[in-house]
Amino acid sequence: MTSRNAFWAYITIITLGVLGCGGSAPTPGTWSYADFEPTSANTCTGDLVDQTNGTFELVENGADYVVKPGDGGGDFACTLDGAELTCTRSMSIPVSGSNAVIPGNETAVASTTSDTMEGTRSAAVTCEGSDCALASSIGLTFPCQLEID
């Protein structure tokens, strides 16, 4: 897996085209996601968005929720306000075979309807380390704003 693909394995969208919730509160359990694209606010360059479908586990945690991505990335801590589910996580992704790390905070916001969640996922993408200049060889420019809808 290339560094670029490893990065997007962690940044795979979880909040669009998701099936399986009812009412305004999402139903805990396994959810599927699909059908997402970068938005016009996306300033990250290169062919970065891994548009594969996938799953995640939604776990109720008292009045809050936890999203456990099926891609092996870190968990999202989520709060529900009415029909809006807001999830955040910190990330620090080492770029394989280099002295570079992609740190940041990621946010996903989804509105629930009768049987779906729809939303946007965003992250401020930066790079730390002496090999960050190599990112330009695969079409990356830092810093940039990732936004997927």
Side-chain angles (χ1 to χ4, degrees):
M1 178 179 287
T2 67
S3 298
R4 178 177 62 186
N5 289 339
F7 173 71
W8 286 106
Y10 290 103
I11 303 295
T12 305
I13 187 71
I14 64 167
T15 58
L16 289 187
V18 182
L19 303 177
C21 76
S24 64
T27 303
T30 301
W31 288 57
S32 299
Y33 58 85
D35 303 328
F36 52 89
E37 295 288 332
T39 71
S40 61
N42 184 58
T43 62
C44 293
T45 58
D47 183 20
L48 296 177
V49 179
D50 180 0
Q51 296 182 359
T52 58
N53 301 334
T55 63
F56 66 89
E57 189 74 20
L58 181 66
V59 179
E60 196 167 2
N61 185 16
D64 297 321
Y65 292 86
V66 174
V67 167
K68 297 179 177 288
D71 64 7
D75 293 350
F76 285 81
C78 305
T79 57
L80 184 65
D81 183 9
E84 186 172 276
L85 186 66
T86 301
C87 304
T88 59
R89 73 174 171 180
S90 293
M91 60 184 183
S92 181
I93 304 165
V95 179
S96 178
S98 73
N99 179 21
V101 174
I102 299 173
N105 293 305
E106 188 175 6
T107 302
V109 178
S111 296
T112 62
T113 62
S114 61
D115 64 351
T116 63
M117 281 195 283
E118 294 185 28
T120 301
R121 191 161 164 186
S122 62
V125 181
T126 62
C127 187
E128 296 175 354
S130 60
D131 291 339
C132 289
L134 296 175
S136 63
S137 69
I138 60 170
L140 296 176
T141 304
F142 296 110
C144 66
Q145 179 66 33
L146 167 71
E147 186 167 298
I148 304 172
D149 198 33

